[in-house]
């Protein structure tokens, strides 16, 4: 591993242990041997990147670990991250046929981590370079979508240059993953490893500011836009600028990367929202010792966009989930946060006359992120929908401009790493077709 | 990358993995699909005078969660027209010139044998496999294992074929015999260019206790079948190694019998096989197993710093000998790793009742002269197994990912008294945790 990128050594996230420990060999073999080795398997179909799950699990069972890693990484170059951050309960493992026999599904995520971890940072990608095509592709953003796209493009002989506005690559996979799933240094290890397969990275370059979108389109044969999402949306209620009111993405990033975060004396926090970011941040605060963490959601539990298994885990950590409740304004006392005024909500609208005070020393807003329409729309011919998501052709990932492609969160509005990887692959295949005519 | 290609008595193939003669090689369509997926060779489903096959034909042996660890069949040779088989052999060979295509034959008169040798060669077969092993249905007609069990007949038919054949002639042997070396040497003396073994083991796979008929049954009656699959592997490994060690056997061996993974294949090769043939595993999982077979063997050879399959062939055969040649002063003893033990105590009871009572529980009273381990008997891990994992602490010890909600039953890690242990391996064989019980060498008292 190079020392090209530095993370702070005293990061808050380091107090978190892995929720799921790396399997020992004995554990991995026992689990792999339970797999039925289905044909045309539901688990594979449930994976956006179509990893041949039974194939790699069988290879673990036969002791062909290198082959297992190859099966995974050829389909999904971020297989190591995905093994740790994928919501397997609602994807591959959720589709496992063993469930139909009332037997526990195969722990696919843990097996995938077991098969990939030994190879991260090794010379695994020492692939013979494909015949150079002389074509150059620019990729905007260095998250999973761009990494996967550029990895496949390099494999097909094209030159790939990733532009990242921040100092450290990885996108939200670096700064937004709950630390008990994966630490930032592991994400960085994987990112550097993927880059080492022949991808050029330029950090500290903001497209649309340091380099114009037009210049990118003229200098490169194709462009892939993988800029992710923008800032957290705000509630639009009075008092939101009081210190102590934070946005969720920012909060998680501070827990992940910051060394100066102190939660001493913080007894209560209210998280606003019903998505996975809300459950993540609530759970992290609870684990960090905040005694009273509540999630306030304007609809009912059954309507929440977040995963039920994540909410269950947050509850197990001591988080309260309060449904049909909306904040109407922030309460402050002498410029300091005191809590919220909340109202009962019906159909996500506040019911007049139901207002009450809700004490909280911290308020975290997790109601989604805005799109990056500002940057994206500077690309000629690229359009966004009313939610700020880039409009692309579903089969190809092509935008309105035939030489510009997009994928990941900026297209789907914020899904999983695995979806971004699938989008990146999709675009790479299409870019290759386009360039080779 | 190790070189996986082999040369079997002049028959070349890009890897040692051949489909054995059987249902997977029944048609050109199947063989072509297998070749597309990377199989190195195929021995066609045995061609002979047309027969009629029965329905049903197969019976399986299950073991706990694993289905079909053994398979018994009462299927005969190919029931398709002879000319169809030869036409398809020619088509497949034309499409895949670099793969080994071997015609399996079973006939009775010399004239018929000669006719079929000619037709096989005309179709482009790279070799011939004489099926002297089928244990059911054909022996009653003076063919199959009826031939393989009579060295004199093996010799006679092999010579007939050798008179006419221009391509290599391989003889496939039956294991249903007292000493495999007898028919094998007869075949070699008659000019066989290679030996193939084992064919299936004569068997009755089971009884349907509800209907009170044998399995498989045909209109309420059954017949002994041919047994294959993982369960027959040890029989096959023994016979392959017996021939590989025999100085009279100078021809290459193609090993068959229960090969399921690249590990099984590597074992066959290490005991003397040049190529390996697979049928039952394909019947269970499909042709797709070839990917792991090739990749796994290749990675293994790389790890062992061998540059080709040839370096592995017979490597272990030379370490097999007679019982009387074994070292009596050598000793190993079991060692239980408390860090991976899950406290099931299966090793304890198996050693106590079926071994040498050398494994003890923590509270066992020690008699003088016994060796007790100098370490905590109940590990922290097992003690902590009743606590739920909390990701909020930076405890780096191995944690359970799931909460174990058992009462504190007191998990016990058994220990081995190495002065009592005879080193029989039993405990390490019954232990459910891979690698938890290891057998360690004890310095011999000279």
């Amino acid at each position: 591993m190079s020392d090209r990128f530095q993370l702070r050594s005293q990061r808050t996230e380091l107090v978190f242990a892995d929720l799921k420990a790396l399997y020992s060999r004995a554990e991995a073999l026992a689990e792999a041997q339970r797999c039925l080795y289905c044909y045309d398997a539901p688990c594979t179909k449930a994976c956006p990147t179509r990893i041949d799950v039974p194939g790699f699990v069988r290879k673990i069972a036969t002791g062909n670990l290198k082959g297992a890693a190859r099966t995974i990484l050829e389909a999904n170059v971020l297989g190591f991250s995905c093994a740790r951050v994928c919501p397997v309960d609602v994807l591959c493992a959720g589709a496992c046929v063993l469930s139909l026999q009332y037997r526990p599904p195969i722990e696919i995520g843990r097996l995938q981590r077991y098969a990939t971890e030994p190879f991260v940072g090794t010379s695994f990608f020492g692939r013979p370079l494909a015949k150079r095509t002389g074509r150059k592709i620019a990729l905007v953003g260095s998250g999973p979508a761009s990494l996967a796209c550029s990895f496949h493009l390099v494999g097909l002989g094209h030159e790939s240059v990733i532009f990242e506005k921040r100092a450290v690559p990885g996108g939200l996979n670096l700064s937004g993953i709950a630390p008990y799933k994966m630490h930032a240094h592991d994400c960085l290890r994987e990112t550097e490893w993927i880059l080492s397969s022949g991808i050029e990275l330029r950090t500290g370059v903001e497209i649309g500011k340091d380099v114009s979108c037009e210049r990118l389109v003229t200098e490169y044969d194709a462009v892939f836009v993988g800029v992710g999402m923008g800032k957290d949306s705000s509630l639009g209620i009075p008092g939101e600028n009081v210190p102590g009111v934070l946005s969720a993405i920012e909060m998680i990033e501070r827990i992940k990367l910051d060394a100066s975060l102190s939660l001493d004396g913080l007894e209560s926090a209210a998280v606003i929202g019903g998505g996975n970011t809300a459950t993540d941040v609530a759970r992290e605060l609870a684990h960090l010792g905040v005694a009273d963490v509540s999630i306030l959601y304007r609809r009912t539990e059954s309507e929440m966009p977040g995963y039920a298994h994540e909410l269950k885990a947050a509850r197990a950590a001591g988080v309260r989930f309060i449904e049909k409740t909306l904040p109407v304004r922030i309460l402050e006392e002498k410029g300091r946060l005191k809590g919220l005024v909340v109202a009962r909500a019906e159909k996500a609208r506040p019911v007049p006359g139901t207002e009450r005070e809700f004490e909280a020393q911290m308020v975290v807003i997790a109601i989604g992120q805005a799109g990056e329409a500002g940057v994206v729309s500077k690309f000629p011919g690229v359009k966004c929908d009313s939610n700020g998501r880039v409009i692309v052709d579903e089969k190809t990932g092509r935008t309105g401009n035939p030489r510009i492609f997009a994928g990941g969160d900026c297209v789907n509005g914020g899904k999983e790493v695995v979806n971004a990887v699938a989008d990146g692959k999709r675009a790479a295949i299409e870019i290759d077709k386009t360039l080779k005519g | 990358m190790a070189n996986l290609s082999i040369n079997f008595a002049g028959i070349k193939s890009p890897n040692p993995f051949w489909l054995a003669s059987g249902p997977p090689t029944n048609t050109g369509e199947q063989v072509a699909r297998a070749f597309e997926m990377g199989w190195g060779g195929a021995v066609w489903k045995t061609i002979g005078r047309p027969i009629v096959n029965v329905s049903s034909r197969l019976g399986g042996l299950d073991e706990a969660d694993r289905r079909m660890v053994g398979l018994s069949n009462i299927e005969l040779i190919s029931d398709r027209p002879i000319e169809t088989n030869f036409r398809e052999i020619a088509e497949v060979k034309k499409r895949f010139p670099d793969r080994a295509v071997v015609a399996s034959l079973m006939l009775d008169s010399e004239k018929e044998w000669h006719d079929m040798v000619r037709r096989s060669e005309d179709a482009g077969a790279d070799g011939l496999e004489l099926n002297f092993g089928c244990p059911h249905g054909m022996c009653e007609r003076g063919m199959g294992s009826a031939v393989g069990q009579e060295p004199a007949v093996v010799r006679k038919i092999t010579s007939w074929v050798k008179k006419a054949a221009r391509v290599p002639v391989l003889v496939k042997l039956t294991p249903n015999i007292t000493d495999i070396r007898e028919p094998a040497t007869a075949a070699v003396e008659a000019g066989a260019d290679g030996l193939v073994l084992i064919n299936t083991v004569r068997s009755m796979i089971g009884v349907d206790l509800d209907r009170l008929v044998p399995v498989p049954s045909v209109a309420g009656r059954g017949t002994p079948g041919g047994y294959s699959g993982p369960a027959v592997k040890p029989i096959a490994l023994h016979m392959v190694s017996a021939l590989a060690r025999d100085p009279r056997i100078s021809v290459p061996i193609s090993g068959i019998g229960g090969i399921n993974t690249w590990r099984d294949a590597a074992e066959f090769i290490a005991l003397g096989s040049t190529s390996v043939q697979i049928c039952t595993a394909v019947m269970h999982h499909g042709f797709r197993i070839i990917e792991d077979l090739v990749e796994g063997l290749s990675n293994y050879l790389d790890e062992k710093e061998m540059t080709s399959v040839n370096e592995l062939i017979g490597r272990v055969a030379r370490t097999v000998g007679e019982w009387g040649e074994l070292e009596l002063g050598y000793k190993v003893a079991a060692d239980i790793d408390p860090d991976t033990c899950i406290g099931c105590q299966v090793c304890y009871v198996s050693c106590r009742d079926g071994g040498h009572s050398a494994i003890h529980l923590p509270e066992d009273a020690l008699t003088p002269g016994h060796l007790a381990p100098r370490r905590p008997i109940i590990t922290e891990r097992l003690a902590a197994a009743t606590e739920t994992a909390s990701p909020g602490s930076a405890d780096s010890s191995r944690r359970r990912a799931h909460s174990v909600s058992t009462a504190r039953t007191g998990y016990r890690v058994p220990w081995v008294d190495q002065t009592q242990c005879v080193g029989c391996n039993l405990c390490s064989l019954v232990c459910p945790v891979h690698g938890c019980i290891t057998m360690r060498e004890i310095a011999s008292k000279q």
Side-chain angles (χ1 to χ4, degrees):
Chain A
M1 263 314 56
S2 73
D3 295 328
R4 183 174 169 190
F5 305 107
Q6 296 296 328
L7 295 171
R8 291 193 175 86
S9 57
Q10 301 288 315
R11 310 191 306 281
T12 305
E13 70 158 355
L14 298 178
V15 307
F16 287 86
D18 286 353
L19 190 64
K20 295 181 175 178
L22 176 65
Y23 268 149
S24 68
R25 180 169 170 269
E27 288 166 336
L29 285 175
E31 187 63 10
Q33 284 164 353
R34 290 203 308 125
C35 174
L36 300 178
Y37 194 30
C38 294
Y39 177 73
D40 194 21
C43 49
T44 291
K45 288 190 223 170
C47 175
T49 58
R50 296 288 183 276
I51 293 174
D52 173 9
V53 176
F56 93 70
V57 173
R58 182 176 169 88
K59 288 178 182 182
I60 292 174
T62 71
N64 173 15
L65 209 57
K66 203 169 169 185
R70 191 177 68 90
T71 297
I72 295 160
L73 296 166
E74 275 180 2
N76 179 341
V77 70
L78 277 88
F80 169 70
S81 271
C82 288
R84 307 187 58 172
V85 310
C86 258
V88 292
D89 306 22
V90 297
L91 294 172
C92 52
C96 180
V97 300
L98 287 171
S99 307
L100 303 177
Q101 283 192 311
Y102 302 101
R103 294 196 277 175
I106 300 294
E107 292 263 15
I108 298 167
R110 298 188 74 187
L111 285 171
Q112 186 168 310
R113 178 179 172 189
Y114 178 80
T116 49
E117 185 138 343
F119 301 101
V120 176
T122 68
S123 58
F124 193 84
F125 297 133
R127 49 187 183 178
L129 285 171
K131 195 170 159 294
R132 313 308 289 157
T133 60
R135 302 304 195 112
K136 278 169 72 175
I137 296 97
L139 300 100
V140 189
S142 65
S146 292
L147 286 172
C149 187
S150 57
F151 178 82
H152 286 280
L153 289 169
V154 167
L156 292 161
H158 308 296
E159 200 177 319
S160 297
V161 184
I162 296 180
F163 294 89
E164 169 59 53
K165 68 177 176 192
R166 303 174 71 145
V168 182
L172 207 60
N173 198 29
L174 179 88
S175 62
I177 299 294
Y180 41 80
K181 290 181 186 166
M182 185 168 70
H183 292 108
H185 53 260
D186 278 332
C187 168
L188 189 55
R189 234 166 22 107
E190 178 190 61
T191 303
E192 292 193 272
W193 177 53
I194 293 167
L195 292 169
S196 74
S197 69
I199 301 162
E200 189 185 334
L201 169 72
R202 298 184 195 163
T203 50
V205 182
E206 190 168 346
I207 301 300
K209 204 164 117 190
D210 305 322
V211 175
S212 77
C213 297
E214 292 79 6
R215 208 179 109 193
L216 222 50
V217 178
T218 43
E219 285 184 14
Y220 290 84
D221 297 294
V223 176
F224 177 80
V225 179
V227 292
M229 301 286 284
K231 289 211 174 324
D232 276 295
S233 307
S234 57
L235 289 163
I237 56 173
E240 261 188 281
N241 50 3
V242 173
V245 180
L246 305 152
S247 78
I249 298 289
E250 189 187 333
M251 183 70 207
I252 292 173
E253 184 171 325
R254 288 191 62 190
I255 292 172
K256 293 281 291 182
L257 304 176
D258 204 341
S260 64
L261 178 73
S262 166
L263 300 174
D264 288 348
L266 187 74
E267 310 246 315
S268 60
V271 178
I272 315 299
N276 291 317
T277 306
T279 48
D280 267 358
V281 77
R283 197 170 155 193
E284 288 168 42
L285 290 169
H287 285 313
L288 288 169
V290 182
D292 183 3
V293 183
S294 307
I295 298 174
L296 308 183
Y297 180 48
R298 59 187 178 156
R299 298 180 196 273
T300 63
E301 185 176 329
S302 59
E303 295 169 283
M304 71 185 279
Y307 299 125
H309 67 269
E310 291 287 356
L311 178 61
K312 193 174 157 194
R315 279 186 167 132
V319 172
R320 280 192 301 160
F321 184 80
I322 302 164
E323 56 180 22
K324 296 174 81 168
T325 302
L326 256 175
V328 288
R329 65 190 163 86
I330 305 287
L331 273 178
E332 57 175 313
E333 206 170 57
K334 296 173 194 156
R336 288 187 46 191
L337 178 69
K338 185 166 169 279
L340 297 154
V341 173
V342 299
R344 194 159 59 80
E346 285 298 343
K347 296 200 174 115
R349 291 267 167 269
V351 178
T354 59
E355 292 85 358
R356 62 186 173 98
E357 288 196 7
F358 190 95
E359 279 202 13
Q361 295 166 309
M362 178 192 274
V363 173
V364 183
I365 299 164
I367 57 166
Q369 295 165 263
E372 282 282 27
V375 184
V376 173
S377 53
K378 288 184 188 161
F379 284 100
V382 180
K383 297 262 182 301
C384 290
D385 66 11
S386 56
N387 293 318
R389 297 173 192 179
V390 185
I391 298 169
V392 298
D393 171 58
E394 196 154 314
K395 282 202 177 63
T396 58
R398 195 188 302 268
T399 64
N401 182 324
R403 287 200 295 120
I404 303 178
F405 297 74
D409 283 358
C410 68
V411 168
N412 63 37
K415 282 191 178 174
E416 306 293 339
V417 174
V418 67
N419 301 99
V421 173
D423 283 5
K425 265 171 72 174
R426 172 180 71 181
I429 291 163
E430 201 56 33
I431 290 169
D432 181 61
K433 265 194 215 159
T434 307
L435 296 184
K436 288 182 178 166
Chain B
M1 286 291 286
N3 175 10
L4 292 189
S5 68
I6 57 157
N7 180 337
F8 187 99
I11 304 170
K12 295 192 179 73
S13 73
N15 63 52
F17 301 105
W18 296 0
L19 293 165
S21 177
T25 59
N26 200 30
T27 65
E29 184 272 329
Q30 288 165 286
V31 176
R33 221 154 19 84
F35 283 173
E36 272 166 17
M37 293 173 84
W39 287 85
V43 183
W44 216 264
K45 174 88 181 164
T46 304
I47 306 168
R49 245 184 276 151
I51 48 86
V52 175
N53 269 310
V54 293
S55 170
S56 60
R57 302 175 201 178
L58 307 176
L61 177 75
D62 305 338
E63 176 54 43
D65 255 5
R66 256 188 98 178
R67 299 224 63 196
M68 221 168 89
V69 292
L71 174 73
S72 185
N73 83 86
I74 55 170
E75 181 170 295
L76 305 184
I77 60 173
S78 178
D79 49 21
R80 304 167 76 230
I82 294 173
E83 46 281 4
T84 308
N85 278 317
F86 284 130
R87 190 185 69 242
E88 291 178 4
I89 287 178
E91 285 165 5
V92 168
K93 191 61 211 176
K94 195 176 291 168
R95 262 189 73 194
F96 299 93
D98 65 325
R99 310 305 166 88
V101 177
V102 176
S104 172
L105 305 173
M106 188 193 291
L107 298 134
D108 49 17
S109 72
E110 182 171 10
K111 185 174 164 305
E112 276 184 316
W113 276 107
H114 284 183
D115 178 48
M116 290 298 238
V117 167
R118 188 181 50 75
R119 292 177 73 177
S120 304
E121 290 179 352
D122 289 347
D126 299 299
L128 309 170
E129 185 178 277
L130 317 188
N131 184 341
F132 295 163
C134 194
H136 49 267
M138 305 307 289
C139 21
E140 295 89 327
R141 311 168 195 212
M143 290 182 276
S145 62
V147 176
Q149 287 165 339
E150 288 293 343
V153 187
V154 169
R155 193 184 310 268
K156 183 172 74 177
I157 298 180
T158 307
S159 327
W160 287 349
V161 174
K162 280 300 289 180
K163 263 192 270 179
R166 286 169 309 197
V167 296
V169 175
L170 320 182
V171 169
K172 186 166 178 179
L173 299 169
T174 176
N176 304 306
I177 186 152
T178 312
D179 185 347
I180 193 70
R181 293 170 301 183
E182 292 186 17
T185 47
V188 172
E189 284 163 8
D193 302 291
L195 295 171
V196 182
L197 71 162
I198 58 176
N199 206 312
T200 52
V201 181
R202 206 168 163 96
S203 65
M204 283 297 291
I205 195 92
V207 170
D208 181 332
L209 289 174
D210 294 326
R211 296 162 57 211
L212 287 170
V213 290
V215 175
S217 82
V218 181
R221 292 189 62 77
T223 187
Y227 194 40
S228 63
V232 308
K233 186 178 112 182
I235 299 168
L237 284 177
H238 151 63
M239 291 188 175
V240 165
S241 69
L243 297 189
R245 278 161 37 217
D246 192 311
R248 293 168 299 173
I249 306 291
S250 52
V251 299
I253 295 166
S254 187
I256 320 184
I259 297 168
N260 199 30
T261 70
W262 65 266
R263 289 178 169 275
D264 303 321
E267 290 177 31
F268 270 86
I269 294 167
L271 282 174
S273 298
T274 298
S275 76
V276 291
Q277 296 188 24
I278 298 172
C279 171
T280 306
V282 167
M283 291 173 72
H284 197 155
H285 301 298
F287 295 129
R288 59 194 169 130
I289 61 172
I290 190 63
E291 185 181 319
D292 182 53
L293 289 169
V294 167
E295 195 180 41
L297 182 64
S298 174
N299 289 342
Y300 171 76
L301 294 172
D302 289 348
E303 274 165 35
K304 289 285 172 203
E305 294 179 341
M306 296 186 200
T307 55
S308 75
V309 180
N310 296 332
E311 287 181 58
L312 182 62
I313 297 172
R315 272 288 284 272
V316 179
R318 65 186 84 134
T319 68
V320 182
E322 299 308 314
W323 195 95
E325 299 165 12
L326 299 175
E327 174 73 52
L328 293 177
Y330 179 77
K331 187 167 176 347
V332 292
D335 185 47
I336 300 170
D337 174 14
D339 289 331
T340 53
C341 172
I342 55 174
C344 71
Q345 301 166 82
V346 168
C347 59
Y348 168 77
V349 74
S350 76
C351 184
R352 190 191 65 187
D353 297 354
H356 296 77
S357 305
I359 299 185
H360 301 277
L361 295 172
E363 61 270 27
D364 283 3
L366 292 184
T367 50
H370 280 200
L371 292 177
R374 276 185 305 227
R375 60 180 172 220
I377 299 264
I378 296 179
T379 64
E380 275 176 47
R381 189 177 52 88
L382 290 183
T386 49
E387 296 166 19
T388 55
S390 126
S393 71
D395 182 359
S396 62
S397 72
R398 294 186 42 73
R399 290 193 160 276
R400 305 240 142 179
H402 53 284
S403 58
V404 181
S405 56
T406 52
R408 282 193 172 278
T409 51
Y411 293 100
R412 299 187 294 187
V413 177
W415 55 277
V416 180
D417 181 340
Q418 299 195 329
T419 61
Q420 291 175 304
C421 176
V422 301
C424 75
N425 290 351
L426 179 62
C427 55
S428 69
L429 306 179
V430 299
C431 176
V433 181
H434 296 271
C436 172
I437 303 185
T438 46
M439 305 303 294
R440 298 184 185 279
E441 285 188 23
I442 306 288
S444 59
K445 299 189 197 91
Q446 288 300 339

